[in-house]
């Protein structure tokens, strides 16, 4: 077992992302880590339920030993064991994001010794995280470029403040992750979306969000947004939101989303999501900001060179690069090209020895 690696949880973005990437890489590479100053700059420093459940999920997957794994802890030590396939459950017991639970566990499942089923409970459509629909419609397509995949079944919707959502994800491990080249976007084939309401909210709000998005996207072609009301058995609580996605002629997948909140005009919710997507499209980037930081870990583990074209490099992405360089000992290079940035890395070429090669 390697010597424990110390990681300062207050650097750069200084939030839960440092924990997620540190714990994922620790489990995958078998490197013990000690993360200190956890969320030091936040109004409530230390581990929140959302972060703790993600860490505990990965700990169960690899039979890790932990110190400091409790709510409010500002330091945690994680000593991983062997990643094993199986059926795992994580429940935030809040509206904590299921997408963030998936972010920490998915790469670990890809390097397990057999198939993994994740039953994840919490918020399916939550603020400060990609909506679960984004993970299925956009990020899954990006992951396929790395020669990896997952299957998702949304069993119940969960919203703020009650949560209660339930998503089942099935992942087959891979022998290795392929390097990617996402540098030529081509032209946009179609923009699709869903605009939803749930609970006692009127469906009129869904149409207003869709109309707001369409007005923002008047210069784009083939914009199709489906407006609907969630079945009360699937989504008993109140929420409204919109998810947009698009694909390009070169196979790039991009998206944006927004959630309604009390006092916000429904049309403005649609405009907000559409403006975010239009900004990405105008930048010429092959990745949207949601995906930009998520691909960094996969680039670090992949075989060979990866290169992706991004717009402005986000703080989350710079944080992901910092942590991956520390733990995986790879080197990223960012080359600015006008308003775009090429992010490059020659990955570890990690081989999952439990999966036979073809």
């Amino acid at each position: 077992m390697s010597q424990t690696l110390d990681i300062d949880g207050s650097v750069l973005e200084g939030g839960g992302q440092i924990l997620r990437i540190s714990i994922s890489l620790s489990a995958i590479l078998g490197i013990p880590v000690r993360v200190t100053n956890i969320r030091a700059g936040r109004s409530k420093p230390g581990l929140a339920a959302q972060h703790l459940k993600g860490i505990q999920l990965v700990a169960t997957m690899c039979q890790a030993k932990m110190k400091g794994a409790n709510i409010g802890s500002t330091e945690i030590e994680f000593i991983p064991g062997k990643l094993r396939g199986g059926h795992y459950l994580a429940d935030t017991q809040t509206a904590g994001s299921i997408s963030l639970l998936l972010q920490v566990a998915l790469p670990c499942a890809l390097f397990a010794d057999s198939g993994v089923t994740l039953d994840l409970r919490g918020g399916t459509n939550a603020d400060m995280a990609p909506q679960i629909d984004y993970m299925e419609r956009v990020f899954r397509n990006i992951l396929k470029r790395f020669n990896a995949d997952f299957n998702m079944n949304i069993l119940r919707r969960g919203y703020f403040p009650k949560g209660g959502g339930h998503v089942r994800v099935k992942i087959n491990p891979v022998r290795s992750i392929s390097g990617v080249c996402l540098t030529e976007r081509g032209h946009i084939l179609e923009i699709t979306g869903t605009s939803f309401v749930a609970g006692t909210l009127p469906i009129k709000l869904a149409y207003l969000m869709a109309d707001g998005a369409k007005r923002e996207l008047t210069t784009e072609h083939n914009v199709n947004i489906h407006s609907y009301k969630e079945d009360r058995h699937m989504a008993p609580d109140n929420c409204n939101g919109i998810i947009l996605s698009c694909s390009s002629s070169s196979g790039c997948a991009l998206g944006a989303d927004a959630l309604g909140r009390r006092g916000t005009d429904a049309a403005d919710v649609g405009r907000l999501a559409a403006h975010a997507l239009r900004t990405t499209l105008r930048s010429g980037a092959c990745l949207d900001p949601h995906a930009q930081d998520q691909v960094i870990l996969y680039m670090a583990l992949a075989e060979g060179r990866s290169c992706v074209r991004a717009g402005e490099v986000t703080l989350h992405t710079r944080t992901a690069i910092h942590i991956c360089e520390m733990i995986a000992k790879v080197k990223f290079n960012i080359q600015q090209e006008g308003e775009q940035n090429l992010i490059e890395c020659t990955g570890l070429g990690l081989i999952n020895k439990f999966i036979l090669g073809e």
Side-chain angles (χ1 to χ4, degrees):
M1 181 64 70
S2 307
Q3 185 176 355
T4 301
L5 185 63
D6 286 302
I7 296 166
D8 185 350
S10 68
V11 299
L12 296 169
E13 184 270 338
Q17 184 201 32
I18 293 175
L19 277 167
R20 286 188 293 276
I21 295 178
S22 298
I23 297 303
S24 294
L25 285 177
S26 172
I28 293 166
L29 299 177
I31 299 172
V33 295
R34 183 186 300 109
V35 185
T36 58
N37 300 319
I38 294 172
R39 303 177 70 244
R42 298 299 197 257
S43 56
K44 289 186 178 180
L47 288 175
Q50 165 76 53
H51 313 109
L52 182 59
K53 293 299 181 181
I55 293 168
Q56 290 173 334
L57 171 60
V58 174
T60 305
M61 293 171 71
C62 70
Q63 298 94 49
K65 297 176 181 177
M66 295 188 292
K67 296 177 184 176
N70 47 69
I71 299 291
S73 174
T74 57
E75 180 176 323
I76 187 167
E77 188 170 349
F78 188 92
I79 304 170
K82 174 185 170 185
L83 278 168
R84 295 188 182 275
H87 191 162
Y88 300 101
L89 171 67
D91 186 351
T92 66
Q93 299 178 318
T94 66
S97 170
I98 290 176
S99 294
L100 297 184
L101 289 177
L102 182 59
Q103 277 185 27
V104 71
L106 176 58
C108 300
L110 291 170
F111 285 93
D113 63 0
S114 60
V116 172
T117 298
L118 301 173
D119 270 303
L120 307 176
R121 296 177 183 269
T124 54
N125 306 74
D127 275 330
M128 308 300 290
Q131 296 185 46
I132 197 65
D133 311 80
Y134 171 91
M135 299 298 289
E136 183 176 34
R137 299 178 200 172
V138 179
F139 188 72
R140 183 184 177 195
N141 286 317
I142 297 169
L143 190 64
K144 288 178 181 179
R145 301 290 292 268
F146 287 92
N147 197 32
D149 197 6
F150 61 85
N151 288 303
M152 178 184 292
N153 189 8
I154 302 171
L155 301 172
R156 192 177 189 271
R157 297 280 179 175
Y159 310 124
F160 180 83
K162 292 182 181 179
H166 183 192
V167 176
R168 181 169 295 144
V169 185
K170 295 187 176 182
I171 306 114
N172 288 320
V174 295
R175 180 161 173 82
S176 63
I177 291 173
S178 302
V180 299
C181 181
L182 301 175
T183 57
E184 301 297 330
R185 196 179 68 201
H187 62 274
I188 299 302
L189 300 175
E190 182 182 28
I191 297 174
T192 59
T194 51
S195 179
F196 73 89
V197 295
T200 60
L201 298 180
I203 194 169
K204 177 184 177 182
L205 296 181
Y207 290 114
L208 288 171
M209 288 187 294
D211 288 344
K214 289 174 184 176
R215 283 198 295 273
E216 186 72 19
L217 296 169
T218 51
T219 57
E220 304 296 331
H221 302 290
N222 296 329
V223 178
N224 297 295
I225 302 173
H226 172 59
S227 302
Y228 73 104
K229 181 161 185 169
E230 288 279 7
D231 182 271
R232 64 184 179 87
H233 299 293
M234 168 69 85
D237 299 319
N238 287 1
C239 188
N240 64 296
I242 186 168
I243 304 98
L244 302 172
S245 62
C246 62
S247 57
S248 78
S249 57
S250 67
C252 294
L254 306 105
D257 56 39
L259 286 174
R261 58 181 61 195
R262 190 182 300 275
T264 301
D265 183 76
D268 287 339
V269 176
R271 276 194 290 270
L272 181 65
H275 178 75
L277 182 60
R278 190 161 61 92
T279 299
T280 298
L281 296 180
R282 285 183 172 180
S283 75
C286 297
L287 293 170
D288 62 63
H290 273 327
Q292 191 189 108
D293 65 291
Q294 288 191 65
V295 301
I296 297 300
L297 180 147
Y298 296 94
M299 292 171 70
L301 298 175
E303 284 191 281
R305 174 180 173 272
S306 291
C307 185
V308 299
R309 185 179 299 278
E312 181 181 355
V313 179
T314 67
L315 182 58
H316 275 89
T317 297
R318 294 187 186 278
T319 305
I321 288 172
H322 173 73
I323 300 299
C324 286
E325 288 184 336
M326 275 191 71
I327 301 176
K329 307 302 182 188
V330 294
K331 178 63 180 172
F332 282 82
N333 180 55
I334 300 175
Q335 180 181 335
Q336 188 170 356
E337 292 188 354
E339 294 183 0
Q340 301 171 358
N341 290 274
L342 288 177
I343 305 173
E344 301 173 280
C345 176
T346 298
L348 283 177
L350 186 66
I351 300 296
N352 184 349
K353 63 181 182 291
F354 300 108
I355 307 300
L356 296 176
E358 295 182 358

